[in-house]
Amino acid sequence: MGVEMIKILLIAPYTGMTQVVKQLDIPKDFQLDIKVANLEESISLARKAEDEGYDLIISRGGTASLVEKNVSIPVIHIDITGYDMLRVFTLIRGAQNTVAFIGFENICRGARTLNDILDYDVKMFTIHKRDEVRLLLNKLKNENYEIVIGDVVTVEEAQKIGLRGFLITSGKEAIFDAFDEARRTYHMFQKVSYKTDQYQQILQSLPTDIIVINQQEKVLFNNLSPNKERIVKKLLYDKELGKNIHQALSLNEKQWAHISSENEDFELQIFPVTSRETKLAGIHLCSYKRKDESAAFRMITKKIHQPILGGSTYAQSIKNKIYAFANTTDNLFISGEFGTGKMTIAQSIHFQKFESNHPLFILNCEIIDSDDLKTLKDRWVSVQKGTAIFEHVESLSPTNQKLLIELFHQIPESLQLIFLANEQASSLIEKKHIFVSLIEKIDPIFIHTQPLRNRKEDLREFISYYLSEFHTRFGNETLGIRSDALEILMRLDWPGNLVELKKKIRELSLRAVGYYIENKDVKEILHEDALKEQNKPLENKGFYIPPGLTLEEMEQRIIQKVLEEEKENQTRTAKRLGMNRTTLWRKLNDK
Ligand SMILES: Nc1ncnc2c1ncn2[C@@H]1O[C@H](COP(=O)(O)OP(=O)(O)OP(=O)(O)O)[C@@H](O)[C@H]1O
């Protein structure tokens, strides 16, 4: 592995320093560049160095202090050493003139000691601020001082008013000391930046949306997606939020804010962040909802636990399919009657695959519009993987189908699409309910769910599952079903499948007096259902007669509906309609 090079810019406040540096053996791990600059020039030079990726800057005295305020990389000061002072004191040895030494306290201290040891008569003048220099020099001139020892600024000013300036130059020892210091600082800085990077990463990957701002409400940090960032930055102009931030900081307490703008609703928590120097506020974006977001679009990020029940061959094959599809990225088309578990299977595949790590979008095709599809697209931009379930695909309008095809061209392939429909895709295509091109675009694998009547051996397991759910949710005490009661349920057709079963078991568990659902409970409930069914007005069975029909046309519709319900059985249909079979036959053939 090569040596890690430390890139350094040395800003020399006087030309001579470059000569000294050039004579030195530059450490092998240094990439050192030297530039001479006065105070003003040093600032832009240092900023440029930072932009160019220099790790450190080395400079001396006032230049170093000024540079330090203008860059965020470390600045190493070349200290004035005893040798440097000895050198300048040696230079003025024998001078008959009155000599003044001007410097900040830390320099003067050493110089004073040296002066005493050498028994010189140099007068020490301590300054506290740089702008004291000019005034002091004028005073010294009036007091007949001729020689002034000091740093670059002092010497330049002295020369301007006709005094002789002796610059305290830096010798190689001071420069070497600075090199050592530079290396130490570099390695320390590396460690600190590694830690800072780690913290940045941690904050960045927090699963919650966080923004940190200072008292001026300038954003210092956020881990939001670009989309949300834009929205939240706009939000910071909100006066209400401003008040909440102020309160959080002044009371040092968490504040909740509910901000409602024209298009969006936000739930925010503002918390004070204790920092050594400044007060900061953290904002946790708890929930964000676009007001135009309709019930047609849902985003689920929390895992739904739904065991796949049943011991039948069919149930087993579904479990295997869930396992298999959770390991592929294939799109799916799940068809089956109402309430046969299409959604449950689709969700199980998603959660088996992603747990809660990636979102699940659910779109109800009965009510979606172009805005919902746009919401899906927008949301999709901020996530990498996930699943989109489209339910009731049979209800998709041709316009929405075209929009979907367009959308699927833009949506990344890492989004798995699952279509749910009440009929097989081939039959929907045949009836022209969905476009072949839509199915071709998603190119799915097909799954067909079985109605409950084809898997009655699973009934008992479903019943005990539902009973335990009611026990947990509602405190029902029913624990099981008697075998003869179950037998009756096994004989039913269950057109409403699991939804119907669940509803019936709920009713039965409320009716049961003891711990078991009895045969009589089932009989009673079935009897009541039959009565209800007989008395139900036709429109309540989902039957609708459009306005503008003639009496005859209305009659035809009613006959057709009842015939359909009685599975084309004319005897039963005639009975329900209160007419004899011949009349019914005539009416059917008259149309
Ligand atoms: N394998 C299963 N194990 C346990 N419960 C199930 C199972 N499948 C479905 N259910 C339950 O049956 C009910 C109907 O399931 P689901 O909504 O998945 O059916 P669906 O076919 O998508 O219905 P729809 O056609 O109305 O959209 C839900 O209460 C669900 O929790």
Side-chain angles (χ1 to χ4, degrees), residues 306-310 314-315 318-319 322 334-348 391-392 394 420-422 449 455 462 465-466 469 496-500 502:
Q306 173 71 70
I308 299 299
L309 301 179
Y314 166 73
I318 288 296
K319 286 179 208 169
I322 291 175
I334 308 180
S335 56
E337 282 178 24
F338 162 78
T340 47
K342 301 182 289 293
M343 181 60 89
T344 311
I345 297 171
Q347 291 184 353
S348 297
E391 58 175 342
H392 307 299
E394 67 279 355
L420 311 183
N422 64 3
T449 56
R455 49 180 304 204
F462 273 108
Y465 176 75
Y466 290 142
E469 187 187 323
N497 295 300
L498 294 167
V499 174
E500 188 188 354
K502 190 171 180 177

Short mmCIF file of all heavy atoms in Angstrom, two decimals, residues 306-310 314-315 318-319 322 334-348 391-392 394 420-422 449 455 462 465-466 469 496-500 502, ligand 1:
data_model
loop_
_atom_site.label_atom_id
_atom_site.label_comp_id
_atom_site.label_asym_id
_atom_site.label_seq_id
_atom_site.Cartn_x
_atom_site.Cartn_y
_atom_site.Cartn_z
N GLN A 306 -50.62 -11.97 8.66
CA GLN A 306 -51.81 -12.72 8.27
C GLN A 306 -51.37 -14.13 7.93
O GLN A 306 -50.78 -14.37 6.86
CB GLN A 306 -52.48 -12.04 7.07
CG GLN A 306 -53.61 -12.81 6.46
CD GLN A 306 -54.86 -12.84 7.34
OE1 GLN A 306 -55.52 -11.84 7.53
NE2 GLN A 306 -55.14 -14.01 7.91
N PRO A 307 -51.60 -15.08 8.84
CA PRO A 307 -51.16 -16.44 8.51
C PRO A 307 -51.99 -17.01 7.36
O PRO A 307 -53.17 -16.66 7.22
CB PRO A 307 -51.44 -17.22 9.81
CG PRO A 307 -52.50 -16.43 10.50
CD PRO A 307 -52.32 -15.00 10.10
N ILE A 308 -51.37 -17.82 6.55
CA ILE A 308 -52.11 -18.46 5.47
C ILE A 308 -52.60 -19.80 6.01
O ILE A 308 -51.81 -20.69 6.30
CB ILE A 308 -51.20 -18.65 4.23
CG1 ILE A 308 -50.71 -17.28 3.75
CG2 ILE A 308 -51.90 -19.40 3.10
CD1 ILE A 308 -51.82 -16.33 3.33
N LEU A 309 -53.91 -19.88 6.15
CA LEU A 309 -54.47 -21.04 6.85
C LEU A 309 -54.85 -22.18 5.90
O LEU A 309 -55.02 -21.96 4.71
CB LEU A 309 -55.73 -20.62 7.60
CG LEU A 309 -55.57 -19.52 8.64
CD1 LEU A 309 -56.91 -19.21 9.26
CD2 LEU A 309 -54.58 -19.92 9.72
N GLY A 310 -55.03 -23.32 6.50
CA GLY A 310 -55.58 -24.45 5.76
C GLY A 310 -54.60 -25.58 5.58
O GLY A 310 -53.40 -25.35 5.39
N TYR A 314 -54.88 -27.43 -1.76
CA TYR A 314 -54.90 -26.08 -2.33
C TYR A 314 -54.16 -25.11 -1.41
O TYR A 314 -53.30 -24.35 -1.85
CB TYR A 314 -56.35 -25.63 -2.54
CG TYR A 314 -56.44 -24.14 -2.80
CD1 TYR A 314 -56.03 -23.61 -4.02
CD2 TYR A 314 -56.89 -23.28 -1.81
CE1 TYR A 314 -56.08 -22.24 -4.24
CE2 TYR A 314 -56.95 -21.91 -2.02
CZ TYR A 314 -56.53 -21.39 -3.24
OH TYR A 314 -56.57 -20.05 -3.46
N ALA A 315 -54.50 -25.15 -0.08
CA ALA A 315 -53.86 -24.23 0.87
C ALA A 315 -52.35 -24.40 0.83
O ALA A 315 -51.59 -23.43 0.84
CB ALA A 315 -54.40 -24.47 2.26
N ILE A 318 -50.87 -22.78 -2.17
CA ILE A 318 -50.80 -21.31 -2.04
C ILE A 318 -49.58 -20.93 -1.20
O ILE A 318 -48.82 -20.01 -1.54
CB ILE A 318 -52.11 -20.76 -1.42
CG1 ILE A 318 -53.24 -20.84 -2.45
CG2 ILE A 318 -51.95 -19.32 -0.92
CD1 ILE A 318 -53.06 -19.97 -3.69
N LYS A 319 -49.39 -21.67 -0.10
CA LYS A 319 -48.22 -21.37 0.76
C LYS A 319 -46.93 -21.50 -0.06
O LYS A 319 -46.03 -20.67 0.03
CB LYS A 319 -48.18 -22.33 1.96
CG LYS A 319 -49.24 -21.99 3.00
CD LYS A 319 -49.18 -22.99 4.16
CE LYS A 319 -50.57 -23.10 4.77
NZ LYS A 319 -50.73 -24.18 5.71
N ILE A 322 -46.55 -18.53 -2.44
CA ILE A 322 -46.13 -17.30 -1.74
C ILE A 322 -44.62 -17.35 -1.53
O ILE A 322 -43.91 -16.39 -1.80
CB ILE A 322 -46.89 -17.15 -0.41
CG1 ILE A 322 -48.37 -16.86 -0.70
CG2 ILE A 322 -46.28 -16.04 0.46
CD1 ILE A 322 -49.26 -16.80 0.50
N ILE A 334 -53.50 -12.20 -9.92
CA ILE A 334 -54.22 -13.16 -9.08
C ILE A 334 -55.71 -12.97 -9.32
O ILE A 334 -56.25 -11.89 -9.11
CB ILE A 334 -53.90 -12.95 -7.58
CG1 ILE A 334 -52.38 -12.92 -7.36
CG2 ILE A 334 -54.56 -14.03 -6.73
CD1 ILE A 334 -51.94 -12.71 -5.93
N SER A 335 -56.35 -14.03 -9.79
CA SER A 335 -57.79 -13.93 -10.03
C SER A 335 -58.52 -14.87 -9.09
O SER A 335 -57.93 -15.81 -8.55
CB SER A 335 -58.08 -14.29 -11.48
OG SER A 335 -57.57 -15.58 -11.75
N GLY A 336 -59.77 -14.57 -8.89
CA GLY A 336 -60.58 -15.43 -8.02
C GLY A 336 -61.81 -14.70 -7.56
O GLY A 336 -61.86 -13.46 -7.62
N GLU A 337 -62.77 -15.49 -7.07
CA GLU A 337 -64.03 -14.90 -6.62
C GLU A 337 -63.79 -13.92 -5.47
O GLU A 337 -62.76 -13.99 -4.80
CB GLU A 337 -64.95 -16.01 -6.12
CG GLU A 337 -65.61 -16.77 -7.21
CD GLU A 337 -66.48 -17.91 -6.65
OE1 GLU A 337 -66.91 -17.83 -5.48
OE2 GLU A 337 -66.67 -18.88 -7.39
N PHE A 338 -64.82 -13.14 -5.19
CA PHE A 338 -64.85 -12.22 -4.07
C PHE A 338 -64.50 -12.95 -2.76
O PHE A 338 -65.02 -14.04 -2.51
CB PHE A 338 -66.27 -11.62 -4.01
CG PHE A 338 -66.61 -10.98 -2.70
CD1 PHE A 338 -66.14 -9.71 -2.40
CD2 PHE A 338 -67.42 -11.63 -1.78
CE1 PHE A 338 -66.45 -9.10 -1.19
CE2 PHE A 338 -67.74 -11.03 -0.57
CZ PHE A 338 -67.25 -9.77 -0.27
N GLY A 339 -63.57 -12.38 -1.98
CA GLY A 339 -63.28 -12.91 -0.65
C GLY A 339 -62.56 -14.24 -0.62
O GLY A 339 -62.67 -14.98 0.36
N THR A 340 -61.79 -14.55 -1.67
CA THR A 340 -61.09 -15.84 -1.65
C THR A 340 -59.63 -15.69 -1.22
O THR A 340 -58.86 -16.65 -1.31
CB THR A 340 -61.15 -16.53 -3.04
OG1 THR A 340 -60.81 -15.55 -4.03
CG2 THR A 340 -62.51 -17.12 -3.32
N GLY A 341 -59.27 -14.48 -0.79
CA GLY A 341 -57.92 -14.30 -0.24
C GLY A 341 -56.90 -13.77 -1.21
O GLY A 341 -55.70 -13.91 -0.98
N LYS A 342 -57.35 -13.10 -2.28
CA LYS A 342 -56.38 -12.59 -3.28
C LYS A 342 -55.46 -11.54 -2.64
O LYS A 342 -54.24 -11.61 -2.78
CB LYS A 342 -57.14 -11.96 -4.47
CG LYS A 342 -58.08 -12.92 -5.16
CD LYS A 342 -58.77 -12.29 -6.34
CE LYS A 342 -59.81 -11.27 -5.96
NZ LYS A 342 -61.00 -11.80 -5.29
N MET A 343 -56.09 -10.60 -1.92
CA MET A 343 -55.30 -9.54 -1.29
C MET A 343 -54.36 -10.11 -0.24
O MET A 343 -53.20 -9.71 -0.13
CB MET A 343 -56.26 -8.51 -0.67
CG MET A 343 -55.57 -7.34 0.00
SD MET A 343 -54.56 -6.38 -1.12
CE MET A 343 -55.74 -5.21 -1.74
N THR A 344 -54.88 -11.09 0.50
CA THR A 344 -54.06 -11.70 1.56
C THR A 344 -52.81 -12.35 0.96
O THR A 344 -51.70 -12.20 1.47
CB THR A 344 -54.90 -12.75 2.32
OG1 THR A 344 -56.13 -12.13 2.67
CG2 THR A 344 -54.20 -13.23 3.55
N ILE A 345 -53.00 -13.03 -0.15
CA ILE A 345 -51.85 -13.69 -0.81
C ILE A 345 -50.86 -12.64 -1.30
O ILE A 345 -49.64 -12.73 -1.07
CB ILE A 345 -52.32 -14.57 -2.00
CG1 ILE A 345 -53.21 -15.69 -1.47
CG2 ILE A 345 -51.15 -15.10 -2.80
CD1 ILE A 345 -53.92 -16.49 -2.55
N ALA A 346 -51.40 -11.59 -1.94
CA ALA A 346 -50.52 -10.55 -2.50
C ALA A 346 -49.71 -9.88 -1.39
O ALA A 346 -48.49 -9.70 -1.52
CB ALA A 346 -51.36 -9.52 -3.23
N GLN A 347 -50.38 -9.56 -0.28
CA GLN A 347 -49.65 -8.90 0.82
C GLN A 347 -48.62 -9.84 1.44
O GLN A 347 -47.53 -9.42 1.81
CB GLN A 347 -50.65 -8.44 1.88
CG GLN A 347 -51.51 -7.28 1.37
CD GLN A 347 -52.44 -6.73 2.44
OE1 GLN A 347 -52.55 -7.26 3.52
NE2 GLN A 347 -53.11 -5.64 2.12
N SER A 348 -49.00 -11.12 1.56
CA SER A 348 -48.04 -12.07 2.14
C SER A 348 -46.78 -12.15 1.31
O SER A 348 -45.67 -12.25 1.84
CB SER A 348 -48.64 -13.47 2.22
OG SER A 348 -49.74 -13.46 3.06
N GLU A 391 -56.00 -3.54 -6.97
CA GLU A 391 -57.14 -4.43 -6.73
C GLU A 391 -58.33 -4.02 -7.59
O GLU A 391 -58.42 -2.90 -8.03
CB GLU A 391 -57.51 -4.47 -5.24
CG GLU A 391 -57.84 -3.14 -4.63
CD GLU A 391 -58.31 -3.24 -3.18
OE1 GLU A 391 -58.69 -4.33 -2.74
OE2 GLU A 391 -58.29 -2.20 -2.50
N HIS A 392 -59.21 -4.97 -7.83
CA HIS A 392 -60.40 -4.79 -8.67
C HIS A 392 -60.04 -4.30 -10.08
O HIS A 392 -60.61 -3.35 -10.60
CB HIS A 392 -61.39 -3.81 -8.01
CG HIS A 392 -61.75 -4.20 -6.62
ND1 HIS A 392 -62.36 -5.39 -6.33
CD2 HIS A 392 -61.54 -3.58 -5.43
CE1 HIS A 392 -62.52 -5.50 -5.01
NE2 HIS A 392 -62.03 -4.41 -4.44
N GLU A 394 -60.70 -5.52 -12.76
CA GLU A 394 -61.80 -5.65 -13.72
C GLU A 394 -62.55 -4.33 -13.90
O GLU A 394 -63.25 -4.12 -14.88
CB GLU A 394 -62.77 -6.77 -13.30
CG GLU A 394 -63.57 -6.53 -12.02
CD GLU A 394 -62.79 -6.81 -10.72
OE1 GLU A 394 -61.65 -7.29 -10.81
OE2 GLU A 394 -63.33 -6.55 -9.63
N LEU A 420 -55.06 -7.80 -8.99
CA LEU A 420 -56.08 -8.68 -8.43
C LEU A 420 -57.38 -8.46 -9.19
O LEU A 420 -57.76 -7.32 -9.43
CB LEU A 420 -56.32 -8.35 -6.94
CG LEU A 420 -55.10 -8.23 -6.03
CD1 LEU A 420 -55.54 -7.98 -4.59
CD2 LEU A 420 -54.26 -9.50 -6.08
N ALA A 421 -58.03 -9.55 -9.58
CA ALA A 421 -59.28 -9.39 -10.32
C ALA A 421 -60.24 -10.52 -9.99
O ALA A 421 -59.81 -11.60 -9.56
CB ALA A 421 -58.99 -9.38 -11.82
N ASN A 422 -61.52 -10.28 -10.21
CA ASN A 422 -62.51 -11.30 -9.85
C ASN A 422 -62.69 -12.36 -10.95
O ASN A 422 -63.45 -13.29 -10.80
CB ASN A 422 -63.85 -10.66 -9.48
CG ASN A 422 -64.46 -9.91 -10.65
OD1 ASN A 422 -63.91 -9.92 -11.76
ND2 ASN A 422 -65.59 -9.28 -10.43
N THR A 449 -57.35 -18.23 -7.38
CA THR A 449 -57.71 -18.69 -6.03
C THR A 449 -58.97 -19.52 -6.08
O THR A 449 -59.85 -19.28 -6.92
CB THR A 449 -57.95 -17.49 -5.08
OG1 THR A 449 -58.96 -16.65 -5.65
CG2 THR A 449 -56.70 -16.69 -4.84
N ARG A 455 -62.83 -26.06 -1.06
CA ARG A 455 -61.79 -26.41 -0.09
C ARG A 455 -62.42 -26.48 1.30
O ARG A 455 -61.89 -25.90 2.26
CB ARG A 455 -60.66 -25.36 -0.13
CG ARG A 455 -61.15 -23.93 -0.07
CD ARG A 455 -60.08 -22.89 -0.10
NE ARG A 455 -59.09 -23.01 0.93
CZ ARG A 455 -58.36 -21.99 1.36
NH1 ARG A 455 -58.53 -20.77 0.84
NH2 ARG A 455 -57.45 -22.15 2.29
N PHE A 462 -60.31 -22.37 9.56
CA PHE A 462 -60.69 -20.96 9.44
C PHE A 462 -61.58 -20.54 10.61
O PHE A 462 -61.41 -19.48 11.18
CB PHE A 462 -61.42 -20.70 8.12
CG PHE A 462 -60.47 -20.40 6.99
CD1 PHE A 462 -60.25 -21.31 5.97
CD2 PHE A 462 -59.79 -19.18 6.96
CE1 PHE A 462 -59.36 -21.04 4.94
CE2 PHE A 462 -58.91 -18.90 5.93
CZ PHE A 462 -58.69 -19.83 4.92
N TYR A 465 -59.63 -20.07 13.72
CA TYR A 465 -58.81 -18.85 13.60
C TYR A 465 -59.67 -17.61 13.87
O TYR A 465 -59.29 -16.72 14.64
CB TYR A 465 -58.18 -18.77 12.21
CG TYR A 465 -57.39 -17.51 11.98
CD1 TYR A 465 -56.14 -17.33 12.56
CD2 TYR A 465 -57.91 -16.49 11.20
CE1 TYR A 465 -55.43 -16.16 12.37
CE2 TYR A 465 -57.21 -15.31 10.99
CZ TYR A 465 -55.96 -15.15 11.58
OH TYR A 465 -55.26 -13.99 11.39
N TYR A 466 -60.86 -17.59 13.24
CA TYR A 466 -61.72 -16.42 13.42
C TYR A 466 -62.19 -16.31 14.87
O TYR A 466 -62.24 -15.22 15.43
CB TYR A 466 -62.92 -16.47 12.46
CG TYR A 466 -62.51 -16.25 11.01
CD1 TYR A 466 -63.12 -16.95 9.97
CD2 TYR A 466 -61.52 -15.32 10.67
CE1 TYR A 466 -62.74 -16.75 8.64
CE2 TYR A 466 -61.13 -15.12 9.36
CZ TYR A 466 -61.74 -15.84 8.34
OH TYR A 466 -61.36 -15.62 7.05
N GLU A 469 -59.57 -14.84 16.89
CA GLU A 469 -59.45 -13.40 16.60
C GLU A 469 -60.54 -12.61 17.35
O GLU A 469 -60.26 -11.58 17.95
CB GLU A 469 -59.58 -13.17 15.08
CG GLU A 469 -59.30 -11.73 14.68
CD GLU A 469 -59.58 -11.46 13.21
OE1 GLU A 469 -59.32 -12.34 12.39
OE2 GLU A 469 -60.10 -10.36 12.92
N GLY A 496 -70.04 -16.01 -0.73
CA GLY A 496 -69.22 -14.85 -0.29
C GLY A 496 -67.88 -15.29 0.27
O GLY A 496 -67.15 -14.49 0.85
N ASN A 497 -67.57 -16.58 0.14
CA ASN A 497 -66.28 -17.13 0.55
C ASN A 497 -65.87 -16.75 1.97
O ASN A 497 -66.70 -16.76 2.87
CB ASN A 497 -65.21 -16.78 -0.49
CG ASN A 497 -65.52 -17.44 -1.81
OD1 ASN A 497 -65.58 -18.66 -1.87
ND2 ASN A 497 -65.79 -16.65 -2.83
N LEU A 498 -64.57 -16.39 2.14
CA LEU A 498 -64.06 -16.19 3.50
C LEU A 498 -64.71 -14.99 4.20
O LEU A 498 -64.87 -14.99 5.41
CB LEU A 498 -62.54 -16.03 3.45
CG LEU A 498 -61.82 -17.29 3.01
CD1 LEU A 498 -60.37 -17.00 2.66
CD2 LEU A 498 -61.89 -18.35 4.11
N VAL A 499 -65.09 -14.00 3.42
CA VAL A 499 -65.72 -12.82 4.00
C VAL A 499 -67.06 -13.23 4.63
O VAL A 499 -67.38 -12.85 5.75
CB VAL A 499 -65.91 -11.71 2.93
CG1 VAL A 499 -66.70 -10.55 3.49
CG2 VAL A 499 -64.57 -11.25 2.39
N GLU A 500 -67.78 -14.05 3.88
CA GLU A 500 -69.08 -14.51 4.37
C GLU A 500 -68.89 -15.42 5.59
O GLU A 500 -69.62 -15.31 6.58
CB GLU A 500 -69.80 -15.26 3.24
CG GLU A 500 -71.22 -15.61 3.59
CD GLU A 500 -71.85 -16.53 2.53
OE1 GLU A 500 -71.22 -16.78 1.50
OE2 GLU A 500 -72.98 -16.99 2.77
N LYS A 502 -66.47 -15.43 7.73
CA LYS A 502 -66.04 -14.65 8.90
C LYS A 502 -67.26 -13.96 9.54
O LYS A 502 -67.42 -13.95 10.76
CB LYS A 502 -65.00 -13.61 8.46
CG LYS A 502 -64.31 -12.92 9.61
CD LYS A 502 -63.15 -12.09 9.11
CE LYS A 502 -62.46 -11.41 10.24
NZ LYS A 502 -61.30 -10.65 9.79
N1 LIG B 1 -55.30 -17.80 3.75
C1 LIG B 1 -55.99 -17.05 4.61
N2 LIG B 1 -55.89 -17.29 5.91
C2 LIG B 1 -56.61 -16.57 6.79
N3 LIG B 1 -57.46 -15.62 6.45
C3 LIG B 1 -57.59 -15.35 5.18
C4 LIG B 1 -56.87 -16.04 4.18
N4 LIG B 1 -57.19 -15.57 2.99
C5 LIG B 1 -58.10 -14.60 3.23
N5 LIG B 1 -58.33 -14.47 4.53
C6 LIG B 1 -59.28 -13.54 5.14
O1 LIG B 1 -60.42 -13.51 4.34
C7 LIG B 1 -60.90 -12.20 4.11
C8 LIG B 1 -60.91 -11.90 2.62
O2 LIG B 1 -59.62 -11.97 2.12
P1 LIG B 1 -59.06 -11.00 0.97
O3 LIG B 1 -59.47 -9.59 1.21
O4 LIG B 1 -57.63 -11.31 0.84
O5 LIG B 1 -59.85 -11.57 -0.26
P2 LIG B 1 -59.96 -10.98 -1.73
O6 LIG B 1 -60.09 -12.14 -2.61
O7 LIG B 1 -58.83 -10.05 -2.02
O8 LIG B 1 -61.30 -10.18 -1.61
P3 LIG B 1 -61.96 -9.13 -2.68
O9 LIG B 1 -62.32 -9.93 -3.87
O10 LIG B 1 -63.13 -8.60 -1.95
O11 LIG B 1 -60.94 -8.08 -2.93
C9 LIG B 1 -60.00 -11.31 4.90
O12 LIG B 1 -60.62 -11.05 6.15
C10 LIG B 1 -58.76 -12.13 5.09
O13 LIG B 1 -58.13 -11.75 6.28
#
